[in-house]
């Protein structure tokens, strides 16, 4: 994560507010991890190659714009509690 990513998160944070920027951060890290593992496993990217994080931040911001916060919260709680959350 470079300083450009930090500036992008700051700008998005000004737009979304503190509750939604947490959701953007968590979703961006999840998307980045999942897609990076897929890219590395399929040998599209090598372990010494750089994978930019900005597209994951933008994709997460778009998800937060179009999906209601209650739905995102329920999905994230289900993912992080390994399906044990029954709210």
């Amino acid at each position: 994560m470079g300083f450009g990513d930090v500036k992008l998160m700051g700008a998005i944070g000004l737009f979304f507010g503190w509750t939604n920027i947490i959701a953007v951060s968590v979703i961006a890290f999840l998307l980045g991890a999942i897609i990076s593992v897929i890219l590395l496993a399929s040998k599209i990217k090598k372990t010494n190659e750089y994978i930019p994080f900005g597209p994951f931040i933008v994709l997460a911001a778009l998800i937060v714009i179009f999906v209601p916060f209650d739905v995102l919260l329920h999905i994230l709680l289900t993912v992080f509690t390994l399906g044990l959350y029954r709210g």
Side-chain angles (χ1 to χ4, degrees), residues 16-59:
F16 281 111
W18 70 273
T19 55
N20 285 332
I21 196 63
I22 294 171
V24 170
S25 300
V26 170
I27 293 169
F29 282 114
L30 281 174
L31 287 173
I34 292 168
I35 294 173
S36 296
V37 166
I38 291 170
L39 289 175
L40 291 171
S42 63
K43 299 193 183 199
I44 294 174
K45 290 281 189 179
K46 296 179 184 170
T47 56
N48 60 353
E49 289 182 332
Y50 178 73
I51 298 174
F53 190 60
F56 301 120
I57 297 172
V58 172
L59 185 60

Side-chain angles (χ1 to χ4, degrees), residues 27 30 63 67-81 83 85:
I27 293 169
L30 281 174
I63 290 171
V67 179
F69 185 74
D70 296 335
V71 175
L72 286 176
L73 182 63
H74 181 72
I75 291 170
L76 289 175
L77 285 173
T78 303
V79 167
F80 282 111
T81 59
Y85 175 72

